Amino acid sequence: MTDLGHVLTEAFGDEDGVVDVADVMQKMAEHKGCGTSSEGGKASCGSSGGPEDMDPAIWEKVKNHPCYSEEAHHHYARMHVAVAPACNIQCNYCNRKYDCANESRPGVVSEKLTPTQAAKKVLAVASTIPQMTVLGIAGPGDPLANPAKTFETFRQIMEAAPDIKLCLSTNGLALPDYVDEIAKYNVDHVTITINMVDPEIGQHIYPWIFWEHKRITGIEAARILTERQLRGLEMLTERGILAKINSVMIPGVNDQHLVEVNRAVKSRGAFLHNIMPLISAPEHGTVFGLNGQRGPTAQELKALQDSCEGEMNMMRHCRQCRADAVGLLGEDRSAEFTTDKIMEMEVEYDAAGRKAYQQAVEGERQAKVAARQEELATLGGATSAIKLLVAVATKGHGVINEHFGHAKEFQVYELSTAGAKFVGHRRVDLYCQGGYGEEDSLDTIILAINDCHAVFVAKIGGCPKADLLKAGIDPVDQYAHEYIEKSAIIWFKDYLAKVESGAIVHVERGDAAIRQGALLSAA
Amino acid sequence: MAYKIIGSQCTNCSGCEAECPNLAISERGGTFVIDPALCTECIGHFDTPQCVAICPVDNTCVIDTSVPRYHES
Ligand code: SF4
Ligand code: SF4
Ligand code: SF4
């Protein structure tokens, strides 16, 4: 699972590489209580929080981390390098034999690099994409099952590009043995994939682990794994290293149980919890895929995330990136940076240029926050029980700037009189579904956003517009190139007014499907 | 006897390479191979051959009967 775990990677080091552990620990301790939303719907800290509701020391650590801060993921990019594909456990949702250039799921990676190649790739990407702030080692495999390669990569990057935050994703089995080394390389953000704290349930997720030179199966394997994971989490918290927990929601296996997992990790100081849907298409050849285990629907996933939210910060913007992903979340530019291309490149690391670019990004981002605040103020006092979802086509920067027909995913926001809250994304690209016509692809998109009342786009053609309307989804294109949240709030106010005046009748929407397919390269 | 790797099954994950107590496993031309002269079947080190225990694909690290049985010296 690292991979699923590793699916998103992250970590942070301080600007100058110095971390005041005592200080951060203190902040983390204080921070625990703030997962609960204030004003029912105002973003909690962690994934969706902003500077206004987070301790400054923690905000400093997460503010330009696309995986840790929902805010940041509109503006900053991450990359993963695959250097250590060995793994010390087996998960039923992973098939390590499978590799496809268009795949985006656990266990899958196209290019394995040596630590030196990986370091060069990081510098090449950082010079091309100045908003790339985070380097993760996330699999495939468990980075800590091959510690030599993993830490050598971190060492080289720490020396060459000290401004890049380092992070690591692991299944946790070996974690307690490496916490000190993790701290030594300033990897101060670690993701652990934890799918259970009850070995009875664990035995249905993990067929075996490799532990103390033996392959161990059944309940015993799950018991060792959960003990090591929770111990590792505690050790990270003790050292002031932020930990994110990834969990894979497997209906009928651990879906109910994840509430308990949420409690267990929160009490041990986890910073953020990311509940992800199981990916289990039969053609992936995983145990779950082959035995027909289904993934959750959009509504099931959201209901579970919502029920855990009172407990702690939930992450909703995870894209389950592949282990060699490059770029903003939701895009993958890895094809631009193949080993051949990188080895030919003359790389000059331009730290000053990166800094200047990132400062400009900060300005842009503050403008967006200000716009949202301004619009929120105009909702002030309005009360309505109506809560609904809208989908947004965006290429990033927090702006509605994507054509309906070009969107590979839609971001979903929940609107209420408390404001616009990001709750997830829906993948719609159809690359791996060769042979489907335009008509079918529109049906699939409608299925993916069927729980939304409207879809915000920069542009849309007449035909899809009519079909969307027929399906009861309002295509909204009058906010092209404007801020997402501000526009959504304006639209929502208008919607409420129309309901009030009787011009429209508010009806609840149905469920939507989570697409299992690939995330196509945005390059 | 020694262990060998069925190349067509191997995912090149390198898991076995790190676990072999005799450094008998290495990557050659993009796939992993066992040097039968170095493999001791893990006898004297562990209860089970480490390459077999860690390999994610069953029946990929298998016994090679064409090689004489290893004897602890
Ligand atoms: S089997 Fe290993 S590589 Fe695959 S998802 Fe699980 S931890 Fe990750
Ligand atoms: S059986 Fe043991 S000694 Fe032989 S190759 Fe496998 S791990 Fe190495
Ligand atoms: S552990 Fe198995 S799959 Fe991995 S490199 Fe060794 S033989 Fe290949």
Side-chain angles (χ1 to χ4, degrees), chain A residues 500-521:
Chain A
E500 185 115 328
S501 71
I504 52 173
V505 181
H506 176 70
V507 282
E508 298 285 336
R509 304 271 316 155
D511 204 348
I514 294 174
R515 251 185 64 77
Q516 297 266 314
L519 178 63
L520 181 58
S521 162

Side-chain angles (χ1 to χ4, degrees), chain A residues 84-88 90 96-97 112 145-146 149 208 210 212-215, chain B residues 8-9 11-15 19 27 46 48 50 52-56 58:
Chain A
C87 188
N88 48 14
Q90 182 62 51
R96 286 184 266 149
K97 215 170 153 60
K112 190 176 82 184
N146 205 336
K149 285 191 179 150
W208 55 263
F210 182 75
E212 291 185 334
H213 302 288
K214 283 193 270 298
R215 187 181 275 212
Chain B
S8 59
Q9 300 246 99
T11 69
N12 292 326
C13 76
S14 77
E19 297 302 330
E27 194 171 2
F46 305 109
T48 46
Q50 298 297 286
V52 177
I54 192 140
C55 183
D58 288 345

Side-chain angles (χ1 to χ4, degrees), chain A residues 244-406:
Chain A
K244 167 157 99 31
I245 306 305
N246 279 357
S247 299
V248 182
M249 179 180 181
I250 311 162
V253 176
N254 72 347
D255 47 347
Q256 304 296 319
H257 178 59
L258 284 178
V259 177
E260 204 180 308
V261 170
N262 181 273
R263 240 176 268 131
V265 299
K266 184 197 174 192
S267 70
R268 289 170 176 81
F271 175 73
L272 190 61
H273 193 185
N274 174 22
I275 298 180
M276 304 176 292
L278 172 72
I279 300 176
S280 68
E283 61 269 28
H284 296 157
T286 63
V287 170
F288 282 148
L290 293 174
N291 73 12
Q293 171 64 53
R294 70 172 181 94
T297 69
Q299 232 167 50
E300 287 170 337
L301 179 67
K302 182 173 179 295
L304 178 60
Q305 288 172 333
D306 287 349
S307 73
C308 289
E309 187 155 66
E311 298 281 330
M312 86 186 284
N313 315 309
M314 297 302 294
M315 169 170 181
R316 314 253 195 170
H317 62 284
C318 176
R319 300 300 196 283
Q320 299 180 274
C321 328
R322 54 186 290 149
D324 59 0
V326 171
L328 291 167
L329 298 196
E331 79 174 5
D332 182 5
R333 295 175 61 177
S334 53
E336 288 170 56
F337 301 98
T338 58
T339 314
D340 297 351
K341 287 182 193 161
I342 286 159
M343 290 306 133
E344 277 169 18
M345 277 184 196
E346 282 285 325
V347 182
E348 217 180 292
Y349 191 65
D350 177 12
R354 284 173 50 79
K355 198 165 178 192
Y357 185 93
Q358 290 176 18
Q359 262 161 10
V361 169
E362 272 316 297
E364 188 181 271
R365 175 176 178 178
Q366 275 155 20
K368 177 192 149 197
V369 172
R372 180 182 63 199
Q373 291 308 113
E374 208 176 279
E375 243 5 272
L376 259 182
T378 68
L379 258 174
T383 49
S384 165
I386 293 179
K387 248 191 193 179
L388 53 79
L389 301 180
V390 296
V392 180
T394 173
K395 288 190 275 205
H397 306 280
V399 175
I400 304 163
N401 54 2
E402 182 68 296
H403 191 297
F404 177 79
H406 299 166

Side-chain angles (χ1 to χ4, degrees), chain A residues 82-203:
Chain A
V83 290
C87 188
N88 48 14
I89 72 173
Q90 182 62 51
C91 307
N92 279 335
Y93 48 70
C94 177
N95 171 6
R96 286 184 266 149
K97 215 170 153 60
Y98 191 99
D99 189 317
C100 156
N102 295 302
E103 262 308 340
S104 191
R105 49 172 201 86
V108 172
V109 73
S110 297
E111 280 205 304
K112 190 176 82 184
L113 304 172
T114 65
T116 304
Q117 286 171 328
K120 184 159 185 207
K121 179 171 180 176
V122 171
L123 296 186
V125 172
S127 305
T128 314
I129 309 178
Q131 68 271 43
M132 195 280 284
T133 50
V134 173
L135 177 270
I137 299 186
D142 188 286
L144 298 179
N146 205 336
K149 285 191 179 150
T150 296
F151 290 113
E152 173 58 16
T153 307
F154 283 148
R155 192 190 61 75
Q156 291 194 21
I157 294 165
M158 192 174 84
E159 270 174 20
D163 66 316
I164 291 176
K165 294 179 192 301
L166 301 177
C167 62
L168 173 79
S169 297
T170 175
N171 61 37
L173 181 63
L175 181 59
D177 303 336
Y178 294 104
V179 172
D180 287 334
E181 202 149 356
I182 286 168
K184 182 171 128 196
Y185 290 101
N186 296 327
V187 178
D188 70 347
H189 174 196
V190 173
T191 296
I192 317 171
T193 303
I194 300 184
N195 296 320
M196 53 90 204
V197 291
D198 177 356
E200 291 279 345
I201 291 171
Q203 64 178 332

Side-chain angles (χ1 to χ4, degrees), chain B residues 3 16 19-22 24-25 34 38-42 49-52:
Chain B
Y3 278 79
C16 54
E19 297 302 330
C20 175
N22 298 310
I25 307 178
I34 294 174
L38 294 175
C39 173
T40 61
E41 301 152 43
C42 286
Q50 298 297 286
C51 52
V52 177

Side-chain angles (χ1 to χ4, degrees), chain A residues 1 119 288 469:
Chain A
M1 49 166 99
F288 282 148
L469 281 169

